[in-house]
DNA sequence: CGGAGATACTTAACATGTTAAATGAATGCG
DNA sequence: CGCATTCATTTAACATGTTAAGTATCTCCG
């Protein structure tokens, strides 16, 4: 493996810090990023084998349990920004994994639904995906997993309505 | 705000689910993604005002406390992939925020360090950044924040050495 | 010492994140 | 009714994520 003898995170630096910031590796965004990456690393290879990216898979999953959804709604559910979703839907449609038809009442809206092929693809991916999730749960502990997700939800709630012009004063 | 009366996550679907998967919005990757986004949403505007992206800021922070670092080491510290780092370093160097010189002993390695200008820029961003972090801590609770980060670290540990060919058998 | 293999970094190619602007369609109000 | 405003979606432009391939350098072994 040719591991270096020590210094697992740049600890050998000769103490030249002038700005008294929180230790970098322990910042909340970093912790969240690393944890998420550790999790996604487990899923990516399997998805890749089926020709799907993480985001494409999110969209299929979001569509799996419903008849159809508007693009905006889907963006919220799959947690994707509009432009990303727009591109991905174009590609998924070209691959016949989803279907689209504009709403009758409002020509602006388009209803998106998963296709038969899409369902089939999901069925072929889901078992592996579930197995991986089960293994993660086993390793980390089911109890702790629930606890972690509760805390993540609370964090999200704590910050809801901050920073996005949601606050108070200056509108533009 | 024009909130729809109900249906906070596509619950109005007429029960067409055939694949018995975990509720989408409660998957671990989604929870982590949403939590991280909620946090980053707080920081991005401030960084943007200073002409920095999140990743550029991570690199400057990683360099702030040390004399210099090799690119690979920096990639590990700032949690960026080599190609991303390569591009970003090129841009940061063009903006004179970092400096680079190839190591004497090994011409392959290049030592990266933050420049005087880089330090100045950090000093102008850090106060706001710290204030935001403090507000997040206040809202979520300092105690819980530590607990959350501990759990995230444990999760990372639980999954270390899975999935990346680290396992056992099939090499290629 | 010389070339096969390993190493550090960069480039390439494609997909997504992020913000701003454009497009097309509905709504409201005078 | 007509048009400014709002809304849903897409396009554009730039930055990063992700994997594969390329380039230069170094190491080691015969």
């Amino acid at each position: 493996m040719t591991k270096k003898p020590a210094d697992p995170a740049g600890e050998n630096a000769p103490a030249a810090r002038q700005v008294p910031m929180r230790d970098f590796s322990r910042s909340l965004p970093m912790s969240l990023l690393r944890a998420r990456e550790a999790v996604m690393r487990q899923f990516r290879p399997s998805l890749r084998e089926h020709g799907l990216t993480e985001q494409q898979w999110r969209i299929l999953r979001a569509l799996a349990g419903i008849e159809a959804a508007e693009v905006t709604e889907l963006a919220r559910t799959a947690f994707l920004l509009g432009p990303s979703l727009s591109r991905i839907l174009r590609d998924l449609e070209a691959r016949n994994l989803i279907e689209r038809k504009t709403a009758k009442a409002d020509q602006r809206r388009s209803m998106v639904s998963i296709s038969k092929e899409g369902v089939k693809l999901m069925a072929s991916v889901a078992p592996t995906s579930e197995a991986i999730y089960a293994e993660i749960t086993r390793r980390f502990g089911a109890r702790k997993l629930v606890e972690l997700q509760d805390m993540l939800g609370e964090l999200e709630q704590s910050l809801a309505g901050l920073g996005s012009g949601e606050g108070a004063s200056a509108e533009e």
Side-chain angles (χ1 to χ4, degrees), chain A residues 4-14 17 23-26 30 34:
Chain A
K4 300 251 185 77
D7 190 33
E11 305 288 348
N12 62 355
R17 51 178 71 246
D23 183 4
F24 180 43
S25 65
R26 274 176 219 165
M30 269 305 237
R34 285 208 293 239

Side-chain angles (χ1 to χ4, degrees), chain A residues 1-64:
Chain A
M1 276 307 196
T2 58
K3 286 183 182 175
K4 300 251 185 77
D7 190 33
E11 305 288 348
N12 62 355
R17 51 178 71 246
Q18 307 190 345
V19 188
M21 278 202 105
R22 197 173 22 284
D23 183 4
F24 180 43
S25 65
R26 274 176 219 165
S27 77
L28 182 55
M30 269 305 237
S31 297
L32 290 166
L33 179 57
R34 285 208 293 239
R36 185 174 142 81
E37 178 54 27
V39 172
M40 283 317 299
R41 200 196 317 283
Q42 313 305 317
F43 290 100
R44 259 190 284 270
S46 160
L47 291 178
R48 187 172 175 69
E49 277 179 19
H50 293 276
L52 287 175
T53 66
E54 177 196 336
Q55 293 82 356
Q56 292 168 345
W57 175 242
R58 285 222 297 276
I59 292 173
L60 293 185
R61 278 197 64 181
L63 290 175

Side-chain angles (χ1 to χ4, degrees), chain A residues 82-140:
Chain A
S84 296
L85 183 53
S86 213
R87 281 176 306 213
I88 301 173
L89 288 179
R90 167 167 48 70
D91 299 346
L92 291 180
E93 190 176 22
R95 287 167 64 183
N96 294 316
L97 295 176
I98 64 162
E99 287 159 6
R100 233 187 318 196
K101 55 183 175 183
T102 58
K104 295 152 199 157
D106 188 337
Q107 296 293 110
R108 293 172 305 182
R109 293 171 157 80
S110 89
M111 303 304 292
V112 184
S113 57
I114 191 168
S115 72
K116 236 170 240 180
E117 269 195 68
V119 171
K120 211 186 304 182
L121 178 56
M122 280 204 72
S124 79
V125 178
T128 305
S129 203
E130 285 296 311
I132 293 171
Y133 204 92
E135 174 65 10
I136 292 174
T137 304
R138 193 185 68 72
R139 290 215 174 199
F140 185 60

